[in-house]
Amino acid sequence: MSTKRGTDTPAAESPATAARPAGPSLVVLPAGPRALLVELNGRQDTEAFHAEVLRRRTAGRLPGVRDIVPGERTVLLDGIARDAAALARELVSWHIPEPLPDPAAAVELPVVYDGPDLADVADAWGVAAADVPRIHAGTEFRVAFCGFAPGFGYLTGLPDHLHLPRRATPRTRVPAGAVALAGPYTGVYPRPSPGGWQLIGRMPDPGPLWDPHREPAALLGPGVRVRFVEAAR
């Protein structure tokens, strides 16, 4: 997911640029007259900052921000009804705690673990192929951000030693419902598309991932907890 920076304000006039003494370091950049782009050092810092933004908005301590859009290392605050420069100065003074567990129940997604890359993933993990479903389904995931296609969430949760590279040669067509791994992420394809991730299984019915007649249309929005449940073949 990419977020386009605004170019209407010179760098010297950016609302704020600061390194925090505690918690994530961040840089705040203007992204138009009513938007701010917050850049962070990495995925974990971004998730912590995004969780804090949501917490403050829910508590009524972040009024006048219409849209909050997380990326891998950025969070876009758009539709700011107040003075954006003043908000930028506030952001760099925040204390950012570790995200608290979401009290909402995790979304459960049934998966048939029969993907064409299952054996390769098992080999990379140093386990038997039969152990991949146990490890994957035994992990609780969190949607870090969305992108690539409507309804596609980038899920974090696998420990570092289980992170995998993308395939050397992407597939021209990955079927809807495919459950895939790449880098630190797990994803589920809501519709057929090209893709270079490692395919370990499939959702029997991917329809709920994206429903334009539902609010919200995406089942897996940022911050949502997710568990995979092994289904019979």
Side-chain angles (χ1 to χ4, degrees), residues 43-160:
R43 174 174 49 85
Q44 293 180 338
D45 285 356
T46 303
E47 290 186 22
F49 180 81
H50 177 241
E52 180 66 8
V53 170
L54 295 180
R55 187 184 70 80
R56 291 186 181 229
R57 185 167 72 170
T58 299
R61 298 168 57 195
L62 190 69
V65 177
R66 186 187 65 222
D67 297 318
I68 301 169
V69 185
E72 185 171 32
R73 295 190 176 187
T74 61
V75 178
L76 177 69
L77 307 180
D78 197 8
I80 301 172
R82 52 183 294 196
D83 182 354
L87 177 58
R89 290 190 292 270
E90 291 179 22
L91 295 178
V92 296
S93 69
W94 281 8
H95 169 67
I96 311 298
E98 290 294 321
L100 295 174
D102 188 342
V107 172
E108 293 189 347
L109 302 180
V111 180
V112 177
Y113 286 96
D114 61 356
D117 299 323
L118 189 67
D120 290 339
V121 170
D123 185 61
W125 285 0
V127 301
D131 290 327
V132 173
R134 174 184 57 79
I135 295 170
H136 190 258
T139 302
E140 181 170 291
F141 294 87
R142 179 183 180 276
V143 183
F145 60 95
C146 299
F148 175 64
F152 188 96
Y154 288 75
L155 281 61
T156 59
L158 285 175
D160 291 350

